[in-house]
Amino acid sequence: MTRSGKDYVEGLRDNRRVFVDGEYVSDVAAHPAFKGAVESIARVYDLAHDPANAAEMTFPSPTTGAPVNLSYLIPRGEDDLRRRRVALRKTAEATFGLMGRGPEHVAGFLAGWAGRSDVFAAGEQRFADNVTKFYEYVRDNDLYCSYAIVPPQIDRSKPAHQQADPHLYAGVKEEREDGIVVAGAQMLGTGAAISDYLVLSCIVPLQPGDEDQAISVAVPIGAEGLKIYSRRSYAEAATSVYDYPLATRFDETDSLIVFDDVFVPWDKVFVFRDRQITSDQWSRTPAHLLGNNQAQIRFSVKLDLLAGLALRVARMNGSDKFPPVRGVLGELAAHAAMVSGLVYAQEQNCELDEKGVAWPGREECYATMTLQSDFYPKLLHLVRDLVGGGVIQLPSSAADFENPEARADFERYVQSPGHPTIERVKLLKLVWDLVGSEFASRHQQYEMFYAGAPFLVKSRMSQIYDFARAEALVDGALAGYDLGGRTETVQA
Ligand SMILES: Cc1cc2nc3c(=O)[nH]c(=O)nc-3n(C[C@H](O)[C@H](O)[C@H](O)COP(=O)(O)OP(=O)(O)OC[C@H]3O[C@@H](n4cnc5c(N)ncnc54)[C@H](O)[C@@H]3O)c2cc1C
């Protein structure tokens, strides 16, 4: 059954241990560092919970028949991927594509795992059953899962077991009859502070000897011993919504997750000390594709926002008809259209596996991931180029308008035809929060790294792309001529 925003907020009042600015936060929903993000996620919950959106954003739970969020759908074909995209696009539009790790992100991973629980059965059947039961539980209760699947940067030159302390990277410290004890840390739990469950696993390759880190488990955020160290909150530092319209509402926060001897009962263990299955869960299930397909649907919304803002500023400044400005707008539009197109292509080129689960088109999904780390910073640069100093020549904060002398000067000098001061400043402060503020800068880092270090993503693309198709063309081209000058058109 879908939850309302109110249900979600009430669920956050547990024993979670979230730290920010040296303070232990007992109620994230009320704390200025997290309040804005919690309210935004609550609105996302309300959206799917609204009966008017049920047909578009939910499907009947196969176990209870009640409507559940479409982000949890295990797709069985192109139509399911299309339905899923429509729901995920609407979800992303509610936050303008600015919350990368809302409830719908890890939902896709869990659907991918549950669709291929047989991969987990290679360990033991009970692990596959745990995956299925956990997936059904979070789906039917509409829970918000975040994840931490990358070890912290301590010494990247050494595998987990060769670090100064074998329990620096989160892993098994003790095996008990009723479960396992996990110790160590993992990065970088985006949204963890405001979610219900954390999935802990490892996506980076593990070496022989790293078996303790070769796990997949789920823990409630309020679990004893789980500590969430949030980075600085941009929402808390913001002067007002008018000054920082995005940071105040969509700062999902990212955290270092520390497992201080966290007990995990066996029924929440999906992979146990198995390097092969830890790796297979990403590559032999559609989890990574479904999760990243969602991420790209979200990304395409953000690119539309970026393009729309660029046009609005150009129009306001009277530069929108200048040919070079049209060129910049065209470049922004082309990237937005390309990402949308690659999302559509993932549906069209999906593949059904032997269990009847639809995997979004691989080449298109990884192509987007590969390119976005390079082009997102470039698009920010294009917008910065377009807006010039306008985003800097602004009142220091909304409080300036309360001073009559300052307000009079701003009303005279900071305005454009058809755009009185308050509107002009509003638009430019929105642009700055998307391309230049600390929030914007974190977003740049996010789009570059959320799918992994760019060099790794690129190298994965080189394994996925159909080079046989490309090489066949090379063979054809080489076969068409020889040293003697013979040329012919070769049949493909
Ligand atoms: C804003 C943000 C949010 C995130 N949210 C989450 C989340 O919710 N959950 C989660 O699990 N993770 C999250 N991540 C973490 C993300 O998955 C990692 O940042 C990513 O996997 C890359 O790992 P790393 O940051 O440790 O970089 P590293 O692996 O340390 O790489 C950094 C750079 O070092 C160089 N380098 C490193 N190793 C090599 C090598 N072997 N060969 C050549 N060059 C190398 C490359 O230049 C590389 O780009 C988030 C990251 C960011 C920035």
Side-chain angles (χ1 to χ4, degrees), residues 298-320:
R298 189 258 332 144
F299 185 50
S300 71
V301 170
K302 189 184 193 177
L303 295 184
D304 285 343
L305 175 70
L306 201 61
L309 276 176
L311 174 66
R312 280 293 181 84
V313 175
R315 222 184 252 152
M316 182 169 73
N317 286 348
S319 64
D320 59 313

Side-chain angles (χ1 to χ4, degrees), residues 119-307:
V119 168
F120 298 83
E124 280 179 46
Q125 183 56 42
R126 65 177 170 140
F127 295 135
D129 297 340
N130 292 345
V131 167
T132 305
K133 279 193 205 127
F134 182 70
Y135 158 74
E136 290 175 350
Y137 169 68
V138 290
R139 178 196 67 197
D140 291 346
N141 291 283
D142 207 9
L143 297 181
Y144 176 1
C145 297
S146 53
Y147 63 10
I149 55 176
V150 178
Q153 284 180 343
I154 295 174
D155 182 351
R156 286 275 184 263
S157 73
K158 294 195 179 85
H161 71 282
Q162 284 174 17
Q163 298 290 321
D165 172 333
H167 296 299
L168 285 179
Y169 293 177
V172 183
K173 186 174 172 191
E174 190 189 339
E175 182 179 349
R176 293 183 1 195
E177 206 168 298
D178 50 351
I180 61 175
V181 175
V182 174
Q186 205 79 330
M187 69 187 262
L188 188 56
T190 299
I194 58 169
S195 66
D196 301 307
Y197 264 87
L198 180 98
V199 172
L200 164 70
S201 192
C202 190
I203 198 166
V204 301
L206 292 167
Q207 308 297 321
D210 290 344
E211 282 68 25
D212 283 347
Q213 281 71 32
I215 57 171
S216 254
V217 302
V219 287
I221 294 293
E224 209 179 325
L226 191 73
K227 295 192 282 191
I228 297 170
Y229 288 97
S230 175
R231 60 151 165 79
R232 160 189 160 80
S233 158
Y234 313 132
E236 193 172 11
T239 38
S240 76
V241 184
Y242 180 83
D243 292 317
Y244 294 95
L246 305 179
T248 44
R249 294 178 294 161
F250 307 122
D251 184 12
E252 54 195 339
T253 69
D254 314 282
S255 301
L256 173 75
I257 312 291
V258 171
F259 295 79
D260 201 352
D261 290 350
V262 175
F263 173 69
V264 185
W266 280 118
D267 69 338
K268 297 289 185 298
V269 177
F270 315 137
V271 181
F272 181 63
R273 281 190 163 141
D274 193 317
R275 287 189 300 113
Q276 188 59 49
I277 303 174
T278 303
S279 164
D280 288 349
Q281 68 185 335
W282 313 114
S283 59
R284 294 195 48 237
T285 77
H288 201 243
L289 286 173
L290 288 172
N292 283 298
N293 173 258
Q294 177 278 330
Q296 292 166 20
I297 294 165
R298 189 258 332 144
F299 185 50
S300 71
V301 170
K302 189 184 193 177
L303 295 184
D304 285 343
L305 175 70
L306 201 61

Side-chain angles (χ1 to χ4, degrees), residues 48-60:
H49 191 61
D50 182 345
N53 294 326
E56 206 173 53
M57 302 189 76
T58 68
F59 68 105

Side-chain angles (χ1 to χ4, degrees), residues 298-350:
R298 189 258 332 144
F299 185 50
S300 71
V301 170
K302 189 184 193 177
L303 295 184
D304 285 343
L305 175 70
L306 201 61
L309 276 176
L311 174 66
R312 280 293 181 84
V313 175
R315 222 184 252 152
M316 182 169 73
N317 286 348
S319 64
D320 59 313
K321 302 281 187 305
F322 299 160
V325 171
R326 293 311 304 176
V328 169
L329 293 172
E331 201 169 340
L332 288 164
H335 283 88
M338 178 180 71
V339 172
S340 293
L342 284 166
V343 167
Y344 295 137
Q346 287 170 49
E347 292 159 20
Q348 195 184 318
N349 294 343
C350 69

Side-chain angles (χ1 to χ4, degrees), residues 29-52:
H31 193 281
F34 307 101
K35 191 169 179 289
V38 168
E39 285 169 2
S40 293
I41 296 289
R43 271 195 296 279
V44 167
Y45 271 108
D46 280 337
L47 199 63
H49 191 61
D50 182 345

